[in-house]
Amino acid sequence: MTNTEAFHQSFDFFYREGGGISAGTDSSILCLTIADRCNTAVNTMWQNHTMVSNFFLSGLTTSHVAELILFTFFVVIYVLIILGNILIIFTIALDQHLHSPMYFFLSNLSIIDICHSSVVMPKMLADFLVDKKSISFEECVAQMFFLHLFACTEIFLLTIMAYDRYIAICNPMHYGTIMSWKMCLQLATVMWMGGLIHSVSLTALTLNLPYCGPSSIDNFFCDVPLVIKLACTNTHVLEMLIVSNSGLISVVCFLVLVTSCVIILISLRNHLSEGQHKALSTCAAHLTVVTLFLGHCIFIYLRPAKSLAADKVVSVFFTAITPLMNPLIYTFRNEDMQNALRKLCKRQIDSQDK
């Protein structure tokens, strides 16, 4: 029921019951009577449309033993995500040789991965230890907001990183001019603002819906497609907006990334210098990360809101595995990062010996 319909029905109720007010009634008494009857009418109209205060998550499994095993496994995963990405950030910050656009964006990726995993994983770990997996409406909204903020920002960042590799390989002579620090800061600002606008718009659309039950979410975290299914209204238009927003962003960015990699491969068919070989290795690692991350976004958001058996598995990769894979892929496949880590370890050992 819309606010307009409730307004009209409440006043219809008032007029039906309004015979008790005479023309000579004192104005203050009249106002109080009107207010009281309007309040009664509205309460009558909305008594069966109470706002949901909590949602209940289904979690990954119903087996308590399996939950304890998963708790141990994901605690290790979460610790590795935090430590691995912090290590990348500090290594890039402390090594002057890594103060370049590529590593500037890589440090941004590590920051986003820490934040992205921290939106979902602490709550998921806590829910492994309890039977009743509930989340308040406010916490659910906050989780959706930050999830989409960091996810969309990461999509834009991965696209920017692909553009950076394209310039480094296909136009190395002008790389320093094109990818100046001013340009890097502008691109970083644009990607964060884009993620913020995307997140605010989706969260606002979700908040505008009435929720009066049911309150069960078939996953281990709150996400827009899952929450809007619980609204007490027709959400077909909103589902189409999500597909055209999140789904389209994911597909377009994925096509841009794949196209840039194809162009790079074509340009390197006949010649491959040492520097370009390193750039190509980084590009291959980047494509692996993109496939893991954007594969989830396309699978979840490029279809109407509907729970599938594979959703939870794909969501685990999205929230836990991909943030762990990023430091592994970019560190162990990158010679410059390996050298910087060796120097950092050596410096640490030397300082302890002194």
Side-chain angles (χ1 to χ4, degrees):
M1 180 186 299
T2 65
N3 291 337
T4 304
E5 290 171 343
F7 177 82
H8 286 302
Q9 290 189 28
S10 63
F11 272 88
D12 287 342
F13 176 89
F14 167 73
Y15 281 121
R16 287 197 304 270
E17 303 295 330
I21 301 176
S22 64
T25 304
D26 182 77
S27 61
S28 61
I29 298 175
L30 177 62
C31 289
L32 289 172
T33 306
I34 292 173
D36 179 65
R37 291 187 178 178
C38 285
N39 183 55
T40 303
V42 171
N43 286 338
T44 303
M45 294 301 114
W46 289 97
Q47 63 182 347
N48 294 325
H49 295 269
T50 308
M51 187 69 174
V52 171
S53 60
N54 289 280
F55 291 112
F56 298 94
L57 306 171
S58 65
L60 286 176
T61 179
T62 56
S63 170
H64 183 62
V65 175
E67 284 185 327
L68 292 177
I69 296 172
L70 288 172
F71 174 80
T72 305
F73 175 74
F74 282 110
V75 162
V76 174
I77 294 291
Y78 186 54
V79 170
L80 289 176
I81 289 172
I82 301 299
L83 293 180
N85 283 290
I86 287 177
L87 181 62
I88 288 178
I89 294 168
F90 274 99
T91 303
I92 292 172
L94 296 174
D95 195 313
Q96 294 289 331
H97 295 94
L98 300 181
H99 290 183
S100 64
M102 185 183 87
Y103 294 104
F104 167 73
F105 292 125
L106 182 56
S107 62
N108 272 268
L109 180 62
S110 292
I111 293 170
I112 292 173
D113 281 338
I114 291 172
C115 296
H116 184 206
S117 59
S118 297
V119 172
V120 174
M121 291 196 70
K123 173 62 177 171
M124 178 181 71
L125 292 171
D127 284 345
F128 283 138
L129 304 177
V130 296
D131 294 327
K132 192 176 182 181
K133 301 169 178 54
S134 65
I135 183 170
S136 70
F137 184 83
E138 293 77 14
E139 289 174 335
C140 186
V141 170
Q143 197 173 64
M144 288 189 294
F145 173 79
F146 287 109
L147 184 71
H148 281 270
L149 169 63
F150 297 125
C152 189
T153 303
E154 183 164 345
I155 290 174
F156 291 143
L157 175 58
L158 293 173
T159 308
I160 291 170
M161 291 174 72
Y163 173 72
D164 173 74
R165 292 301 83 206
Y166 169 77
I167 299 296
I169 295 173
C170 298
N171 198 0
M173 299 298 293
H174 299 92
Y175 177 75
T177 304
I178 298 172
M179 296 302 294
S180 63
W181 281 112
K182 181 180 178 181
M183 174 61 74
C184 290
L185 291 174
Q186 288 175 343
L187 290 172
T189 302
V190 168
M191 76 182 189
W192 280 103
M193 288 303 298
L196 181 63
I197 293 170
H198 165 81
S199 182
V200 168
S201 62
L202 278 188
T203 307
L205 288 171
T206 308
L207 276 174
N208 198 39
L209 299 172
Y211 298 96
C212 52
S215 57
S216 298
I217 297 175
D218 188 23
N219 214 321
F220 57 92
F221 65 96
C222 289
D223 198 6
V224 173
L226 300 172
V227 172
I228 63 171
K229 290 198 307 179
L230 307 178
C232 305
T233 186
N234 190 337
T235 59
H236 179 72
V237 174
L238 184 54
E239 289 178 24
M240 292 302 101
L241 284 174
I242 292 173
V243 169
S244 61
N245 188 330
S246 301
L248 195 60
I249 288 174
S250 303
V251 171
V252 170
C253 290
F254 183 74
L255 291 176
V256 169
L257 291 162
V258 171
T259 302
S260 67
C261 288
V262 171
I263 293 173
I264 288 170
L265 290 173
I266 292 173
S267 67
L268 296 179
R269 281 184 305 176
N270 299 322
H271 58 282
L272 191 66
S273 66
E274 183 181 352
Q276 288 172 325
H277 181 76
K278 290 182 180 179
L280 184 60
S281 177
T282 305
C283 183
H286 187 67
L287 187 59
T288 304
V289 172
V290 165
T291 304
L292 286 172
F293 189 80
L294 286 181
H296 163 272
C297 297
I298 293 171
F299 179 78
I300 296 294
Y301 300 113
L302 202 63
R303 58 182 172 85
K306 183 190 299 183
S307 294
L308 298 178
D311 284 355
K312 292 182 182 181
V313 177
V314 175
S315 296
V316 167
F317 271 89
F318 177 63
T319 57
I321 305 303
T322 302
L324 176 65
M325 293 297 292
N326 287 349
L328 294 176
I329 291 172
Y330 284 110
T331 302
F332 291 114
R333 291 180 60 90
N334 190 300
E335 187 177 342
D336 292 334
M337 281 295 297
Q338 291 175 15
N339 292 334
L341 284 171
R342 289 193 200 99
K343 288 195 291 185
L344 183 64
C345 292
K346 184 179 179 182
R347 191 186 308 171
Q348 199 69 18
I349 293 171
D350 292 342
S351 63
Q352 288 177 356
D353 290 341
K354 292 178 181 179

